[in-house]
Structure formats: structure tokens, C-alpha cells
Amino acid sequence: MSISVVVLGNGEHVVRQIEGYRGELMVTRVCEDIAEAVAACAVGATDVLLVSGWELLPPLEQIDAVTSQQTVLVLLDEKPRNGGTTQGMLEVIESVPMLELELLVVQALRELTHPDELDEAQVTETSAQATLSTGKIVCFWGAAGAPGRSTVALNYAVEAALSGKTVVILDADTFAASISIQLGLLDESASIAQLCRVIDSGSREPARLDATCLSVEVGTAILKVATGLPRSSRWPEVRASALRRATSVLREHNDLVVLDVASQVEMDEQLSFDTQAPQRNAVTVEMLRCSDEVFMVVAADSVGIPRALRAIDELEDQVPGVSLQIVFNKLGAANTGHSPKRRLLETWDRFGPNHCIAGYLPQDVVSCNAALLAGSPLAEIAPKSTLRTEIRGLLGIKSTEKRRKRLSRRIG
């Protein structure tokens, strides 16, 4: 068995060591350019990409592309920093013996290509690391046309914080971010772009990531907010792989991470480029993939329903396997006629896919406009509104207001 190795950089001494060792490692190509090395791995005939220096390390997106081809990336450095930032990547000291390097590569290849064959000790270690991620990632998505996903996402995060959880909300909408506007925050720095810069620097320290977020006091709770892009033209600053890693770190140190994403999931930028191209919608797709729960906010009217059905078809083509929970928003007789909930159910049962219906949110223009004008959530502006009660129901929080009214009637 031979293991093909592509060497990136001026690593003549590494090539001589590998050839002199005469083991399973076999150098098939030496590249001086990152794009050339990544292209060689994209062919699928390379087992190992050996990078001879931290300055030559490809960007995170290209590292993900290499490892997705079941190619192990090995970084030779004088002082390995953190032992690898992703699965399928190794950081080893430059003076590593060839026997040790070969054993590390063989083990990494086995973990990358045959994860089902891991021994009991490795499975136990992996499960122990998984238990550290005690938090949950909840994503709010919806079709184009302002179904109200940002409003629902923000108030969902606020209610979770008021219930005693540590919550971070990320405005990952690369087209029209609005969380900072709804909270009355004037932030041009774009926290999610700063999160990506911290991850790109090689740091995974929770303190540095938390420092990029703004702390907003809501009642007796503190909500951490990662503000979005103030201008949509800045979308290249938010890289999907970096934001996914930042979200994973935030999840490990918080009870809940709430994501507000854009509606578009098409990945067609590659049609316009001969090489690997940036993907504007990659953030939305990546956030949907890494989420534990995905709420699809659907505008309950004659325009929102058809748009939602088409959006679900596109999502299933681009991101198969995502389980959606449908939340009907802006429900009212003015939109659907008499008995709106019954009519909506009849329509969805006839045309809609088989997804769980998580809730029905009433249309409350007065409360939403007042909250937006004040730059505050519903919990502060309209604490007794039915809309707030139904959003609390998405969290499993039952309202006691109705019980009190019924009890007072019985006593009276």
C-alpha cells in the first residue's frame, strides 16, 4: 500500500527524507502555488497534502475542500499551535521522524475515510468531546419576501435569555441584516465579520469571540448579539467555514445560539468561474447544515405560502436532509379569510410537504411597529401580547396569563 503525497512549498529536504525513508509515503507532486496544490487534491488521487510552512496554509474554505476529498492536510511548523483546526488536518513539528509522521498520517486517513472502524477508545474520546457541546444551535430561515424571520428570531432569543439561558444571536443574513436595527444599535463594525477574523487568525478562545459581540440588557437578562453586515456588498468578509467554527465555539460555552439567515440557498457562483469561486449563499447553506433545529417562518397569506413551497423544493435540492419546523406568521382573517387557522391547515395539507408545524403566530402590526420604533423586543414593549405568548410557546414556555383570567372568572 502506498500513500500519495503532494508537497506544497519549498520542501526539498522533506522530499528527500520521504524518499530516503522508503516507507508507504510516496511524493507524487511538488507545488509552489496554493491553487495548484488544491487543484491537484481536487482530482481525488491524492491522499496527503503536506504544507511546509504556516505562511503557505490555504484558507479555511480550501482546507474544507481538501478534506472533503478525503485528503489529509499535514502542516509542518516549527511550533505547532493547536494540533489542527479541523478534522483531517494535522500540525506536526518540522523535525518529526518519518516513522512517526507515517503513523500519524495512516491514523488520520483511517479516521477520515473509515470513521466506522475507530476502536473503542477513540469512540469514547470522540463522544467525550461531543458532550462538551452542551448548547444548541437554532436557525430561523424562510422564503424571500419578508415573512418575519428576523422578528421571530430576535424575540425567540430574548425569551430564551429571560428564561435563564445564556444566549447568543448571530445576524448571518448577508443580504439584509436587521437585528441591530430592531435593537436600536448603531454598529458599523459587523460582529460576524470580526468573528471570522478571529477564527482565521487561528484562535478559538471564547473570550476573544465574546468580545466581538455586543451585550444588550433586556429586563433582568443579558443577550449577546453578533451584529450583521451594514452593507450587503461586504458579504465576502463573512466566510462560511470560519463562521461555522465560530458558531461551534459559541455553542460550547452558551446554552443557545440563535441564527438569523438569508433566504437564498442557490450555489451557482461556480458557473461563472473556472476555479473555486466565493459563494455568497454559502453562509446560509452552512448554517442550515450545522443547526440542531431549523424553524422555517412562513407568511400566512396567498403570496407567502406559494413562495414557501418553492423555497422548500430548492432547499431539498441544495441541502438535503434538513428537517424543518414550520412556523406560520402573520396569521389573521385579513390575510386568509374567515377561520384563518382552519383554512391555512386545509391549504397546507393539500399542497404542503410533510413537515412538523411548530406554531401559529398572529399578525400584530401595532405591537411590532411599536417595538421597532422603540428599538426593543416585545417583552419590553408589549409583554402581554398574543404574539409574544406564541413565540414563548416555540420555546416550550407556557403562559400563565390565560390561567389567571380563567381562575379570576371562576372566583368571581
Side-chain angles (χ1 to χ4, degrees):
M1 171 185 172
S2 62
I3 300 175
S4 60
V5 180
V6 171
V7 177
L8 172 60
N10 187 15
E12 295 182 3
H13 64 288
V14 177
V15 176
R16 288 196 298 267
Q17 286 180 339
I18 293 176
E19 293 178 346
Y21 174 64
R22 298 185 181 276
E24 296 182 0
L25 300 179
M26 182 179 64
V27 177
T28 58
R29 188 167 184 173
V30 178
C31 304
E32 296 183 359
D33 184 69
I34 294 178
E36 180 185 0
V38 173
C41 296
V43 177
T46 303
D47 298 316
V48 179
L49 173 59
L50 195 149
V51 181
S52 58
W54 182 269
E55 67 281 356
L56 294 173
L57 189 66
L60 291 176
E61 288 82 357
Q62 294 184 348
I63 292 177
D64 288 343
V66 168
T67 55
S68 66
Q69 297 291 333
Q70 295 186 338
T71 299
V72 175
L73 191 149
V74 179
L75 173 62
L76 297 180
D77 198 18
E78 294 180 357
K79 297 179 180 179
R81 306 187 181 190
N82 53 14
T85 58
T86 186
Q87 184 183 12
M89 176 177 170
L90 298 175
E91 292 185 32
V92 295
I93 193 168
E94 285 183 341
S95 58
V96 61
M98 284 297 106
L99 176 59
E100 182 179 347
L101 178 62
E102 184 178 89
L103 292 176
L104 290 173
V105 167
V106 170
Q107 180 180 354
L109 273 174
R110 184 160 63 95
E111 293 176 358
L112 194 62
T113 58
H114 300 88
D116 297 334
E117 298 180 3
L118 298 179
D119 56 34
E120 185 176 352
Q122 291 172 314
V123 172
T124 303
E125 182 181 356
T126 303
S127 61
Q129 292 176 352
T131 56
L132 295 176
S133 302
T134 56
K136 184 168 68 171
I137 301 175
V138 177
C139 182
F140 284 85
W141 175 74
R149 59 182 176 272
S150 297
T151 300
V152 178
L154 173 61
N155 286 280
Y156 180 95
V158 168
E159 297 301 334
L162 290 173
S163 68
K165 296 181 179 179
T166 56
V167 183
V168 183
I169 180 169
L170 275 68
D171 193 344
D173 190 336
T174 55
F175 285 82
S178 63
I179 296 297
S180 60
I181 298 174
Q182 294 189 59
L183 288 173
L185 303 175
L186 298 177
D187 181 51
E188 291 287 326
S189 57
S191 298
I192 59 169
Q194 295 182 50
L195 288 173
C196 292
R197 294 190 193 102
V198 171
I199 294 297
D200 285 339
S201 69
S203 174
R204 294 174 63 92
E205 297 179 8
R208 289 192 61 186
L209 295 177
D210 285 341
T212 65
C213 301
L214 302 179
S215 295
V216 178
E217 185 175 354
V218 181
T220 58
I222 298 295
L223 177 67
K224 288 182 284 188
V225 182
T227 55
L229 301 174
R231 291 177 293 278
S232 61
S233 59
R234 292 178 57 183
W235 68 266
E237 298 180 29
V238 183
R239 293 162 297 283
S241 57
L243 191 60
R244 185 192 71 241
R245 288 170 170 83
T247 303
S248 177
V249 176
L250 291 173
R251 174 188 184 179
E252 293 174 3
H253 299 86
N254 295 276
D255 298 324
L256 181 65
V257 178
V258 179
L259 304 173
D260 176 27
V261 298
S263 59
Q264 290 83 349
V265 295
E266 299 85 359
M267 302 284 282
D268 56 0
E269 285 88 344
Q270 297 288 4
L271 299 177
S272 305
F273 293 85
D274 295 331
T275 59
Q276 186 176 6
Q279 303 280 335
R280 180 169 190 174
N281 302 330
V283 169
T284 299
V285 172
E286 198 65 42
M287 295 299 99
L288 288 170
R289 285 174 177 166
C290 72
S291 298
D292 299 307
E293 291 184 8
V294 177
F295 288 103
M296 181 181 185
V297 182
V298 179
D301 54 42
S302 56
V303 175
I305 299 297
R307 282 178 172 174
L309 295 177
R310 289 193 292 268
I312 291 175
D313 290 339
E314 293 176 358
L315 178 69
E316 291 176 348
D317 291 337
Q318 297 292 337
V319 195
V322 174
S323 178
L324 298 176
Q325 298 186 62
I326 307 298
V327 177
F328 290 109
N329 192 27
K330 305 178 183 180
L331 184 66
N335 293 332
T336 56
H338 183 66
S339 301
K341 186 174 180 179
R342 178 174 61 83
R343 289 177 178 271
L344 184 61
L345 277 174
E346 290 175 353
T347 304
W348 194 259
D349 287 341
R350 182 177 179 182
F351 299 104
N354 187 21
H355 289 294
C356 172
I357 298 178
Y360 303 87
L361 308 182
Q363 187 173 31
D364 192 347
V365 178
V366 175
S367 297
C368 289
N369 286 344
L372 184 60
L373 183 63
S376 300
L378 293 172
E380 293 184 339
I381 300 302
K384 295 183 179 180
S385 67
T386 306
L387 177 57
R388 185 204 174 195
T389 301
E390 295 299 329
I391 292 177
R392 287 165 61 87
L394 297 178
L395 279 159
I397 302 175
K398 297 182 179 179
S399 176
T400 58
E401 189 66 27
K402 294 181 180 179
R403 295 181 183 178
R404 290 175 182 173
K405 290 182 179 179
R406 292 174 183 173
L407 183 60
S408 62
R409 290 174 183 173
R410 291 177 183 175
I411 295 176

